Amino acid sequence: MKRLRLMLWLLVAVMAGGALWLFARPRPSAAPAETSFVSIGGVFTLTDSDGKTFASGRLAGTPYVLFFGFTNCPDVCPTTLARLIRLRRQLGAGDGAFEILFVTVDPERDRPADLKRYLSLYAAPIVGLTGSPADIARVKKTFGIYSAKVPQPGGGYSVDHSAAVLLFGRDGGFGGTIAPDEGDAPALGKLKRLTA
């Protein structure tokens, strides 16, 4: 009986030692998940509201914000542009604090003259940009912008589109976004960092 007890204790000790080894041994680290970063922004050439070629290289050394919309937009576009003008004024550095660029997602209807007429309503400097549908498609892809025509009852169409404002620093690097529902205080903070 004594021998059996001794063998059982020995078996328990071996099992306990094995369990300790299993749980205490270093584990191989999990392979890091692959992270892919989407690049936002890049060089582009479009047509401004005076009908002249506008190359993105012109923005070198200047912070700018980029908003994609269309002149027949009933609410989001005019509200966003008016807000950007207001925020720029609140920075207290004048209209030169940063450039506001408005790129149409409706090039069939938004020709240079249409952009000029529309942007003149804001009585503040805004660069309006358009181009061929292929040009606009390329720029939308470069900046990760979605848009799609939405047929309207009785004919015609509206355009559903991304509504975030894209921020770019003096070096042309992507500096974040301002969301449509974001408060003015955090938005102003982002613009201050952008223009510092």
Side-chain angles (χ1 to χ4, degrees):
M1 190 72 160
K2 194 174 181 182
R3 194 173 197 183
L4 181 62
R5 243 188 271 161
L6 185 60
M7 287 179 69
L8 282 173
W9 278 114
L10 188 59
L11 184 61
V12 166
V14 167
M15 288 177 67
L20 276 174
W21 178 80
L22 273 174
F23 291 108
R25 71 187 168 110
R27 302 215 183 274
S29 61
E34 283 189 32
T35 306
S36 62
F37 294 96
V38 176
S39 174
I40 296 179
V43 298
F44 63 89
T45 302
L46 289 172
T47 304
D48 70 16
S49 58
D50 289 322
K52 296 177 181 169
T53 299
F54 183 97
S56 58
R58 213 185 205 180
L59 298 164
T62 305
Y64 64 98
V65 301
L66 193 56
F67 180 67
F68 287 77
F70 63 112
T71 63
N72 288 296
C73 179
D75 44 28
V76 174
C77 300
T79 302
T80 301
L81 291 173
R83 181 182 190 209
L84 288 171
I85 292 166
R86 186 179 76 248
L87 290 171
R88 183 167 63 184
R89 288 182 179 146
Q90 287 176 11
L91 282 177
D95 289 335
F98 60 86
E99 291 276 3
I100 299 172
L101 276 67
F102 176 71
V103 180
T104 185
V105 291
D106 188 12
E108 290 92 344
R109 292 188 296 194
D110 289 344
R111 301 292 182 195
D114 304 307
L115 284 174
K116 189 167 191 138
R117 190 168 36 256
Y118 177 73
L119 295 176
S120 71
L121 300 173
Y122 294 93
I126 299 173
V127 177
L129 299 171
T130 189
S132 70
D135 292 337
I136 296 298
R138 272 192 300 277
V139 173
K140 286 190 325 183
K141 184 175 180 183
T142 298
F143 289 92
I145 296 299
Y146 159 82
S147 76
K149 287 183 181 179
V150 180
Q152 297 293 297
Y157 65 90
S158 184
V159 183
D160 188 20
H161 62 91
S162 304
V165 175
L166 307 178
L167 311 176
F168 293 88
R170 295 178 197 285
D171 61 354
F174 178 60
T177 62
I178 297 174
D181 58 352
E182 190 169 343
D184 279 0
L188 196 56
K190 289 178 182 180
L191 291 170
K192 282 179 180 172
R193 288 191 295 277
L194 191 74
T195 57

